[in-house]
């Protein structure tokens, strides 16, 4: 390109008012991230697409930059005041540094709009403004004839709200076009409609959503509708703009539905062309008699008519009347006549209008579809995805419990008393490590308390340490189906990233492998500490928990007994004695285990000054208690026990202390019986008017308290001595567990806590959703308290590389959910969030319901019966990494997990058939036999077929038929999860609601299309950022690596990958 140097120099010296922008900037050229020279200050003048660089305002231009085929990179940091101009030609980037952040932002805007593309965007924006002015001209002319008072009242921002049902979308409508005009006669149109909203208060055009693309017709009927959620600010005065586009190349078209800033305009997409647009007021649609508008589509200049567009108001559960429509099926040139009417069915939308559910779910995103059935009727589908506040609430509650539990454990270790130097040094080391771990938990809880913003963790944050307890992309995916001649139905799936410790990594595998390796190493600890099996360690924790729970209860019941005695109340005395007896019997039963005996002996030998007459011999088995009765036989000492024995230790002393509690209780019971018997005799004599009876009664009235008081004090003293010894012995067992594996033991506990926290948050969400959905289903409620709840996880992880470690973590985390019990209580306030109590080996989740909902529950649940969970996991890897694992790796992990969980599922089904009547199953159970499905699942798991997705479908079907909760998980709950969920939804519509077979693929495309998302932008993706819709993408469900085309290329690629991995870890 040639330039006239004289003319450019003359232009550069023109007065300041002639330039678009000017000012001082520091400028240099940049190659990559390196500056060629230090930035130098220059006076910059911008005119059109020319940027003049001058040494000073009075000097001539030393350089001219042409702002074409370039773009501006602006740094988003609050402190950064620099921008970079990047050129498509490949020449070095231009670095510009301003004096302040506002100055930097103004230069970025000016430079971004300086090229020809920016000029075209301005022209398009002006055209749109002209169209809007023409549309509003009629209303503006009418305002001229109104009195000034009325004009002023119109200017006030008072808008008419749309009447709606609580928690239902404010507005929903479907779209169809007719008689569209193509640019050429022979062209077949591939059209979609872009929906934009003009807010009456701001008069800003905001892109909201788009329909799917309908190919090869000038009369497209769109299956994807438009829905506005309850919280969206839409009124009768709101205007909606509908723009119709023709997609020239569907593979290159990418329809963005982002909310545009005020000063920016989206650039034109290469693969589509504008056909026409129209605008209507929401009030006109809502108030129309037929609830339908027929609008004329016009070109951008408003002159030419290019067709019509029909807007139909949609209300779920109501009839859609109209004439027969013809829409194109998936088969080429095939037409399907569809009668647009539905029979009235029982709606279920009002069931979830509940404040307690609203406390758990937030930020719902809705989509609306209408699909034809096999008998040429319409069914409507509302797809909803919602975040949950439980993503952060449950982990914070859990971490708080961990902190309290660990603080109690540390204190119990300190209360062990004086120990021999070896054991004392071990205790100090353990406490030091535990204090560090406790500090880490406290720091994590503090950081989570500061968290604001999104209520879920996006996958790009899965490696952040402060968020490692938070599940990834935990969402509810709900499909509400209103189909002809069938009852409305809800289908819920919880989508979440696989529970795994991403921050800690998977270099050495996941929990399944790490726990097995750690347990094997603990058995060979030699003479450093005493080995206790995991079962005995868990038993020790259970004993300590029972002590902490029962001791205060027994003390309070003993005080109530004395209080009843002082009041001389026989009935109250009986009740208090009954409660005291029950709790004391539980207390005594907790110490019947042989573990307490053996631990007391071990603790005795660990005291300073203890001289052993028999040597301490470590043992390799986990059976500590069985050999105590044979300790006098030397042949059995050598191989059995790592717990030392001492001939001078009096084992009967513990028996006497432990038995004293029962004896003291028996004394209390005998005394109460004696007092009550005397009271009965006095009452009989009073009835016979015996004068001595009154004196006797007065004599014994004051004796009740005095006679019971010393016995109750004795009971408390005996109980206190038992508690002291038992606590110390069990704390010594925990000391051995920690000392045998420092610091690996604590790190494994941390990893297990992290994985369990993620799994528990999803489980609590799924249980609450299922409880609200089945609140009116008496069969489900009976199953809930009689059998328990089936929780089925669908895993899509591969068994290759890091995902194998994730699968190991996930398997352990889901298995740990078996120690979770649920309890439904009546809410006493407006806070309906669940309450978590318990310890690591046993948790109770208290779900709060409002009084009206609580009354609907069976008596067993209202009385506080604990509800069991039965989690099962079935995993099938489906991506290209699984192909590598199946051909060159190992799939044993997946096979073992599926086989183990199949047995758990069979056990649940057996329990279900034994305890539940056959008529409690859903109505469609008659079509398929559950026993046959289980047998089919068993055969598919045994077949060991590659990527056998039939396992997933069978497990999901069995779960739904058993009223279970469905989970779908992959690495980040995005691509694979969304493909699986959408396929499952369309399969349900086909099998249960008679979706027309020719529209299965088209329905699947609608649900997976990114362009139907409402009010989202590129970063609104669980994989990359913030608010999300249901993560659909246009990828294939079973992707295949390109390298698999050639086995030689695959081998080369595999060798290079192994070399990179070795170099990385070395």
């Amino acid at each position: 390109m040639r330039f006239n140097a004289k003319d450019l120099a003359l232009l550069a010296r023109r007065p300041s008012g002639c330039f678009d922008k000017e000012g001082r900037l520091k400028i240099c050229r940049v190659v990559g991230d390196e500056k060629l020279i230090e930035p130098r200050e220059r006076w910059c003048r911008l005119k059109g697409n020319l940027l003049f660089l001058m040494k000073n305002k009075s000097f001539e231009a030393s350089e001219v930059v042409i702002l074409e085929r370039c773009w501006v990179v602006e740094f988003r940091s609050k402190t950064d005041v620099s921008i970079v101009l990047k050129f498509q030609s490949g020449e070095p980037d231009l670095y510009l540094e301003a004096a302040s952040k506002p100055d930097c932002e103004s230069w970025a805007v000016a430079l971004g709009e300086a090229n020809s593309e920016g000029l075209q965007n301005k022209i398009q924006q002006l055209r749109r403004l002209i169209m809007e002015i023409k549309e509003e001209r009629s209303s503006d002319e009418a305002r001229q004839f109104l009195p000034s008072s009325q004009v002023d009242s119109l200017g006030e921002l008072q808008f008419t709200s749309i009447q709606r049902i609580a928690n239902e979308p404010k507005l929903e409508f479907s779209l169809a076009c007719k008689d569209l005009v193509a640019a050429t006669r022979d062209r077949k149109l591939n059209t979609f409609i872009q929906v934009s909203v003009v807010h009456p208060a701001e008069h800003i055009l905001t892109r909201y959503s788009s329909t799917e693309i309908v190919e090869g017709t000038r009369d497209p009927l769109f299956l994807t509708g438009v829905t506005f959620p309850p919280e969206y600010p839409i009124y009768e005065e709101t205007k909606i703009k509908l723009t119709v586009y023709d997609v020239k190349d569907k593979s290159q078209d990418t329809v963005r539905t982002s909310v545009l800033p005020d000063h920016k305009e989206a650039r034109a997409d290469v693969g589509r062309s504008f056909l026409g647009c129209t605008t209507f007021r929401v009030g006109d649609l809502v108030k129309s008699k037929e609830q339908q508008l027929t609008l004329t589509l016009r070109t951008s200049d408003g002159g030419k008519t290019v067709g019509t567009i029909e807007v139909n108001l949609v209300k779920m559960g109501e009839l859609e009347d109209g004439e027969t429509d013809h829409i194109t099926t998936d088969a080429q040139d095939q037409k399907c006549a569809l009668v647009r009417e539905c029979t009235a069915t029982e709606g279920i939308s009002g069931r979830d209008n509940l404040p307690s559910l609203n406390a758990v779910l937030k930020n719902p995103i809705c989509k609306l579809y209408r699909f034809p059935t096999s008998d040429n009727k319409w069914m409507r589908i509302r797809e909803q995805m919602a975040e949950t506040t439980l993503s952060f609430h449950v982990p914070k509650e859990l971490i708080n419990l961990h902190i309290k539990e660990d603080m109690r454990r540390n204190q119990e270790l300190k209360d062990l008393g004086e120990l021999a130097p070896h054991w004392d040094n071990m205790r100090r080391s353990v406490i030091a490590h535990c204090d560090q771990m406790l500090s880490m938990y406290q720091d994590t809880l503090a950081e989570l308390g500061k968290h604001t913003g999104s209520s879920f963790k996006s996958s790009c944050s899965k490696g952040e340490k402060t968020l490692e307890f938070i599940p990834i992309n935990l969402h509810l995916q709900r499909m509400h189906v209103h189909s002809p001649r069938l009852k409305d139905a809800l289908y819920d799936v919880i989508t979440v990233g696989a529970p795994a410790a991403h921050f800690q990594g998977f270099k050495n595998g996941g929990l399944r492998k790490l726990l097995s390796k750690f347990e094997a190493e603990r058995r060979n600890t030699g003479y450093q500490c005493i080995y206790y099996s995991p079962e005995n360690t868990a038993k020790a924790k259970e004993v300590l928990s029972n002590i902490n729970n029962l001791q205060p209860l027994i003390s309070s019941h003993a005080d109530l007994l004395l209080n009843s005695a002082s009041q001389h109340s026989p009935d109250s005395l009986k009740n208090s004695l009954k409660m005291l007896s029950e709790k004391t019997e539980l207390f005594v039963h907790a110490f019947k285990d042989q573990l307490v005996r053996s631990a007391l002996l071990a603790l005795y030998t660990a005291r300073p000054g203890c001289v052993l007459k028999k040597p301490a011999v470590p043992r390799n088995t986990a059976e500590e208690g069985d050999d105590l009765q044979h300790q006098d036989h030397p042949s059995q000492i050598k191989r059995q026990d790592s717990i030392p024995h001492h001939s001078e230790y009096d084992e009967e002393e513990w028996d006497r202390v432990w038995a004293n509690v029962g004896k003291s209780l028996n004394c209390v019971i005998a005394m109460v019986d004696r007092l009550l018997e005397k009271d009965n005799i006095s009452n009989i004599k009073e009835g016979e008017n015996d004068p001595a009876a009154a004196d006797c009664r007065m004599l014994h009235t004051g004796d009740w308290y005095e006679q019971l008081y010393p016995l109750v004090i004795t009971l408390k003293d005996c109980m206190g001595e038992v508690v002291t010894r038992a606590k110390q012995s069990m704390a010594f067992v925990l000391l051995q567990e920690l000392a045998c594996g420092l610091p690996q033991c604590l790190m494994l506990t941390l990893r297990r806590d992290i994985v369990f926290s993620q799994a528990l948050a999803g489980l609590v969400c799924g249980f609450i959703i299922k409880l609200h959905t089945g609140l009116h289903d008496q069969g489900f409620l009976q199953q809930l308290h009689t059998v328990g709840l089936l929780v089925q996880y669908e895993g899509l992880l591969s068994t290759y590389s890091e995902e194998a470690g994730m699968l190991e973590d996930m398997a352990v985390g889901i298995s740990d959910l078996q120690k979770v019990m649920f309890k439904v209580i009546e809410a006493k306030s407006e806070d309906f969030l669940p309450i978590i109590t318990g310890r690591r080996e046993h948790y109770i989740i208290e779900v709060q319901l409002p009084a009206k909902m609580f009354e609907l529950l069976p008596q067993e649940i209202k009385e506080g019966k604990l509800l069991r969970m039965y989690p099962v996991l079935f995993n099938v890897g489906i991506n290209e990494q699984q192909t590598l694992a199946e051909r060159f790796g190992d799939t044993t992990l997946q096979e073992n997990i599926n086989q183990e969980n199949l047995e758990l599922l069979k056990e649940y089904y057996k329990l279900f058939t034994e305890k539940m009547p056959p008529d409690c199953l859903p109505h469609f159970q008659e079509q398929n036999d559950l026993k046959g499905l289980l047998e089919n699942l068993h055969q598919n798991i045994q077949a060991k077929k590659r990527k056998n997705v039939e396992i997933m479908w069978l497990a999901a079907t069995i779960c739904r038929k058993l009223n279970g909760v469905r989970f779908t998980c992959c690495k980040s709950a995005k691509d694979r999860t969304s493909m699986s969920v959408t396929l499952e939804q369309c399969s349900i519509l086909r099998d249960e609601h008679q979706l027309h077979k020719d529209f299965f693929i088209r329905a699947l495309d609608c649900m997976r299309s990114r362009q139907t998302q409402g009010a989202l932008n590129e970063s609104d993706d669980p994989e990359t950022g913030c608010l999300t819709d249901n993560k659909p993408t246009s990828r294939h469900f079973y992707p295949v690596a390109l390298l698999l085309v050639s086995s030689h290329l695959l081998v080369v690629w595999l060798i290079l990958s192994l070399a990179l991995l070795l170099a990385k870890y070395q």
Side-chain angles (χ1 to χ4, degrees), residues 860-886:
E860 293 86 350
I861 298 180
K862 288 195 287 187
E863 290 176 354
K865 184 175 181 179
L866 296 180
L867 310 175
R868 291 197 59 185
M869 300 294 109
Y870 293 85
V872 293
L873 165 65
F874 294 95
N875 186 85
V876 174
I878 59 172
N879 61 355
E880 61 274 10
Q881 288 188 342
Q882 184 63 21
T883 303
L884 295 176
E886 290 172 345

Side-chain angles (χ1 to χ4, degrees), residues 69-94:
R69 300 181 66 189
C70 66
W71 66 93
V72 179
V73 177
E74 181 181 358
F75 299 96
R76 298 299 182 184
S77 173
K78 295 181 179 179
T79 58
D80 208 321
V81 293
S82 59
I83 56 178
V84 175
L85 277 175
K86 292 185 176 289
F87 299 90
Q88 294 182 9
S89 60
E91 62 179 295
D93 302 338
L94 187 64

Side-chain angles (χ1 to χ4, degrees), residues 172-297:
E172 292 179 316
F173 57 85
S174 58
L175 298 169
C177 293
K178 288 186 178 181
D179 303 324
L180 295 179
V181 178
T184 58
R185 289 186 178 181
D186 298 334
R187 171 165 176 75
K188 291 185 177 180
L189 296 176
N190 303 323
T191 54
F192 74 92
I193 300 177
Q194 180 177 283
V195 182
S196 304
V197 179
V198 181
H199 297 281
E202 302 173 356
H203 296 286
I204 297 175
L205 187 70
T206 304
R207 291 187 186 183
Y208 182 74
S209 67
S210 299
T211 65
E212 81 280 8
I213 298 175
V214 179
E215 301 181 24
T217 177
R218 300 192 179 188
D219 300 319
L221 191 147
F222 300 96
L223 303 182
T224 304
V226 181
T227 180
F228 293 88
E231 69 279 1
Y232 194 86
I234 189 169
Y235 309 95
E236 290 187 5
E237 292 80 9
T238 303
K239 290 186 176 180
I240 295 178
K241 182 178 180 181
L242 306 175
T243 308
V244 182
Y245 289 96
D246 176 24
V247 179
K248 298 178 181 178
D249 188 353
K250 185 178 179 181
S251 62
Q252 296 181 0
D253 183 69
T254 305
V255 183
R256 301 298 181 195
T257 59
S258 57
V259 180
L260 298 176
D262 298 346
H263 59 278
K264 292 187 179 181
E265 179 67 30
R267 66 183 185 182
D269 290 275
V270 178
R272 63 180 181 178
S273 61
F274 174 82
L275 283 182
C277 62
T278 186
T279 305
F280 69 92
R281 288 176 69 255
V282 172
D284 295 339
L285 175 61
V286 174
K287 295 179 180 179
S288 61
K289 293 183 179 180
E290 299 179 354
Q291 296 187 338
Q292 175 181 324
L293 295 178
T294 302
L295 307 171
T296 301
L297 288 170

Side-chain angles (χ1 to χ4, degrees), residues 225 239 422 667:
K239 290 186 176 180
H422 167 71
C667 292

